[in-house]
Amino acid sequence: MLLVLGCANRGMGPQGGPKDTTPPKVLKETPSNGTLNYSGDGKLEIVFDEYLQLDDVSKNVLISPPQQHAPEVKAIGKKVTIAFDESFQDSTTYTIDFGNAICDFHEKNPLKGYTLSFSTCDWIDSLEVSGYLVNASDLNPASGVIIGIQRNLDDSAFSTLPFTRVARTDETGYFNIKNIAIGTYRLYALNDVSRDYLYQPGEALAFYDSLVTPTAHIETHYDTLWIDSIQVDSLTMDTLPLRLVDTIHTHTYTYFEPSDVVLWYFQEDKQRVYFKRCYREQANKFWLQFSAPMDTMPTIRSLAPSMVDSTKSDSAWVDWMDYALIQHSTHYDTITVWLTDSVAIGQDSIFFEMTYLKSDSLYNLQPQTDTIRAIYRAPRISEKARAKMNSTKSQVFVEVKSNAKSSFDIYQPLILTFATPVDSMWTDSLLLYQKVDTVLQPLSFTLVPNDSVNMSFRIDYPWKAEQKYQLQIDSAVFKDVYGNVNKETKFEWKIRSLEEYSSLTIKLTHWDAAARLQLLDEKETVIKELPALPDGTVFKYLAPKAYYVRLYIDWNGDEKWTPGDWLTKRQPEPVYYFPSKMTLRANWDFEEEFDHLALPQLDGKPQELLKDISTTKK
């Protein structure tokens, strides 16, 4: 019986106790926190009350002043050791901020906010500067970013001298630079990809327009909780009744300024432009890809084979540029070259010279000329398979696609798309009708090219709500550059009822001619953007759902939000949010007044939209 009871009650034994949630505690520091005139050998040691592990030292541990050679930080048993690789500077306060690096061994509970400071002279610098780093485009906090002060006030010091002292932003974007000496400084933020504490072109940044002079002041507060019936504020210590003196508690606080700095974090509108690759997966076209958008179209000049390789013959060569069609993206970062000559299509290698603007090390654009070879390697197939493919070869037709669907928005154009460039068309055989009951009423319209090589066309027409439309396309209306024509086809669609839409009117309390309004969905995707008008901006034909509104001041008038620029010391264009979500209902017209100056800029964004844009997550 005892044996059975013992086996049946295994769960009643020791359960291990509650989970450990306590971080490690410091028992001893060498040197001690606040040590003066330190002249040690650069090896520091901290002893804790339990076994440790270190989490992501390079991310968490930050040392001021910054070290060009990072000290070695290790955890051994219950100790953390720091070995400096550089000699200590004279008359300098050193601060080691461990962030969340120090954790207990088993549960990984971090010791948050622990710093160790010591000085190589007979005082410790004690001033502080604090504030927030905010992503300029959407007001989200930017965490994991280096914040630095620079004693040298020249602008060039940002890119030539390491910061004087540094801190790192937390998950709310908050930063606090400690142990600052008396003086005046420049203040910066830097996504220090190169880890040299110097600004390099291409790194995200922020800069404070004003000089920063840290100060401190002391205030004494009296605790009067125990003498509620007496107004102590109007009395002095000399005039207070003796019976009350023993019940008053004083608290002395040191306040550091500035403590409310806001830095606007941005990525400059500069990208390194270079040619990435040329690929030719089909015999009749090849693609050119660049690393970033460009302002101008590259110049392409065909080359005969002998101009590239003197051993090659030009006897079968044709100047394919005389017959090529060049298609480009909006900003020329992708270029498609369509070969329309059969001799050129049959050549395995196409040679050409391309001149474009390429970025140098300082992001300045310089002319660059490359000689390029577009190679096509046909897939290997057996003679038997080739013969079968040729025997079953059927006529190729041009496929016409459209965006027509049963429920069509009233503001949408009808789009026709093709897989190959259209060479010619007969619009007399392209018929648009409005369907009234069972009768088709013909409509006059214009077919407008939608791209540079006629692979897309649109029909802009003032559709009527709840009406049905039909587009009839006879056979051979469209012929592509390879001589193929389309089959007969038709598209039908019906325009939505106006009762399915909502509208939203936003009127600015303080109208600004440079203001632009953006309508956002719950993922902060821009649905529509319009300029702010004096009598209110109307967003029409909206789906009935939740929206948010964002405003930015378009200082340069280019109708898009523009980030800052370090070279010209231009701050990003300011952004404001309407402070609440708007839930629209079908067949309703909503109006809202937006006073973008009523709240501090950082308080306007709805809480549900705030998210950390940590650089460490990229």
Side-chain angles (χ1 to χ4, degrees), residues 505-517 530-538 551 591-594:
T505 300
I506 301 293
K507 185 171 184 179
L508 296 186
T509 306
H510 304 281
W511 179 72
D512 188 325
R516 292 185 65 83
L517 292 164
L530 293 171
L533 302 177
D535 296 328
T537 299
V538 183
L551 175 153
E591 292 187 10
E592 288 285 355
E593 185 164 333
F594 184 6

Side-chain angles (χ1 to χ4, degrees), residues 480-507:
D480 72 7
V481 293
Y482 304 110
N484 303 313
V485 297
N486 67 283
K487 292 182 178 180
E488 181 180 353
T489 188
K490 71 177 178 181
F491 300 105
E492 294 184 324
W493 62 99
K494 182 181 179 180
I495 306 302
R496 292 177 183 271
S497 165
L498 292 179
E499 295 178 353
E500 298 180 51
Y501 296 102
S502 298
S503 76
L504 174 63
T505 300
I506 301 293
K507 185 171 184 179

Side-chain angles (χ1 to χ4, degrees), residues 521-550:
D521 64 13
E522 292 181 297
K523 294 182 179 179
E524 287 200 75
T525 303
V526 179
I527 305 301
K528 290 185 179 181
E529 179 175 326
L530 293 171
L533 302 177
D535 296 328
T537 299
V538 183
F539 293 93
K540 296 181 179 180
Y541 308 126
L542 301 177
K545 60 179 184 179
Y547 296 95
Y548 296 89
V549 171
R550 181 168 65 202

Side-chain angles (χ1 to χ4, degrees), residues 346-364:
Q347 293 175 340
D348 292 340
S349 296
I350 298 291
F351 299 96
F352 59 97
E353 187 179 80
M354 181 175 66
T355 301
Y356 63 100
L357 294 178
K358 179 181 179 180
S359 301
D360 60 17
S361 60
L362 297 177
Y363 283 73
N364 297 316

Side-chain angles (χ1 to χ4, degrees), residues 306-324:
S306 62
M307 298 172 69
V308 180
D309 186 344
S310 58
T311 64
K312 294 185 178 295
S313 171
D314 296 338
S315 58
W317 178 76
V318 295
D319 190 345
W320 53 270
M321 280 293 293
D322 292 339
Y323 310 98

Side-chain angles (χ1 to χ4, degrees), residues 403 405 407-414 459-461 463 495:
N403 62 337
K405 53 185 178 181
S407 184
F408 201 77
D409 284 310
I410 194 169
Y411 56 83
Q412 275 188 297
L414 183 72
I459 295 175
D460 294 305
Y461 192 83
W463 315 117
I495 306 302

